[in-house]
Amino acid sequence: MRIVVAEDLFLLRDGMVRLVEAYGHQVVAAVDNGPAALEVLLAHRPDVAIVDVRLPPAFSDEGLQAALTARRAVPGLPVLILSQHVEQLYARELLADGHGGIGYQLKDRVLDAGQFMDAVQRVADGGTALDPTVVAKLLGRPMRADPLAALTERERSVLALMAEGLSNAAIAGRLFLSEGSVSKYTTAIFAKLGLADDQDTNRRVRAVLAYLGAEQGGR
């Protein structure tokens, strides 16, 4: 994969570059500020970008803004956001554009290289890789938009784990269900959300986007 890294801390940026290269990928650009991040995202259109939320010059939300602007210009550009905190408004905005290829990981919860690179790969493949804390923050308030009201509590639990990027087998293990049961839940979720079987669209991603975007739509 061709990867862009945007992180202001030298040691962390250098560490990520060495890590992704150790896994056989190419870092086409590594930058330390918001304006440079946007420039290289648009210039290189990487297979995936790893972007810190808070970058110079203001250390507020320059990384997220660069990612949002780049995805408006290049719909579906895969972006994995790294942060110390959950920026709920911008996380929803990233997810609400109707495309997959989004990850949001909290720095202090990335426990090993394999976990991190698995998240990078899922995002590059057009899926989602959301930290459970991010999912909990985004889904913490009651849902007010149809057709999500039709989902059962178990279906919502399955869909929340889908948002983390888990496979049916992994969801089954987490919820102590059989894989067949999870498959039935996912089929029911797709039906209730009106997601037809479309070879050109990842229904799992569309379901996650519908679920996470519902609260924003009801605001």
Side-chain angles (χ1 to χ4, degrees), residues 159-187:
L159 194 44
L161 294 175
M162 268 193 218
E164 295 178 33
L166 272 63
S167 66
N168 282 2
I171 292 172
R174 187 78 65 87
L175 297 180
F176 303 102
L177 298 169
S178 69
E179 192 170 346
S181 294
V182 173
S183 180
K184 291 179 181 178
Y185 282 124
T186 58
T187 298

Side-chain angles (χ1 to χ4, degrees), residues 8-181:
D8 64 295
L9 295 177
F10 168 75
L11 289 178
L12 184 53
R13 184 175 67 254
D14 186 63
M16 283 193 290
V17 169
R18 292 174 183 270
L19 173 62
V20 298
E21 289 181 342
Y23 273 74
H25 307 302
Q26 177 188 10
V27 176
V28 294
V31 298
D32 64 359
N33 65 81
L38 178 57
E39 181 180 350
V40 297
L41 287 174
L42 295 178
H44 291 284
R45 301 193 177 200
D47 297 313
V48 63
I50 303 169
V51 181
D52 188 12
V53 168
R54 298 180 179 180
L55 294 172
F59 291 99
S60 57
D61 59 6
E62 284 84 349
L64 267 172
Q65 291 293 350
L68 286 167
T69 301
R71 279 176 65 92
R72 292 187 195 108
V74 186
L77 180 72
V79 175
L80 174 60
I81 295 292
L82 290 177
S83 180
Q84 298 282 10
H85 310 284
V86 181
E87 305 283 352
Q88 295 187 51
L89 177 62
Y90 293 123
R92 290 194 187 95
E93 189 172 350
L94 275 170
L95 288 157
D97 68 3
H99 300 280
I102 283 293
Y104 200 122
Q105 298 287 308
L106 300 182
K107 291 181 178 180
D108 62 356
R109 288 174 55 86
V110 177
L111 303 179
D112 60 62
Q115 172 198 359
F116 179 71
M117 291 307 301
D118 181 61
V120 171
Q121 186 66 61
R122 291 203 305 271
V123 172
D125 290 341
T128 57
L130 305 181
D131 185 277
T133 302
V134 175
V135 175
K137 287 279 189 180
L138 294 177
L139 305 181
R141 293 191 290 276
M143 299 297 177
R144 292 172 284 177
D146 288 330
L148 298 186
L151 296 180
T152 66
E153 182 177 351
R154 177 63 80 185
E155 287 164 354
R156 290 188 181 187
S157 297
V158 169
L159 194 44
L161 294 175
M162 268 193 218
E164 295 178 33
L166 272 63
S167 66
N168 282 2
I171 292 172
R174 187 78 65 87
L175 297 180
F176 303 102
L177 298 169
S178 69
E179 192 170 346
S181 294

Side-chain angles (χ1 to χ4, degrees), residues 196-203 206:
D197 189 2
D198 186 342
Q199 294 297 326
D200 297 325
T201 307
N202 187 325
R203 287 193 297 171
R206 291 170 63 202

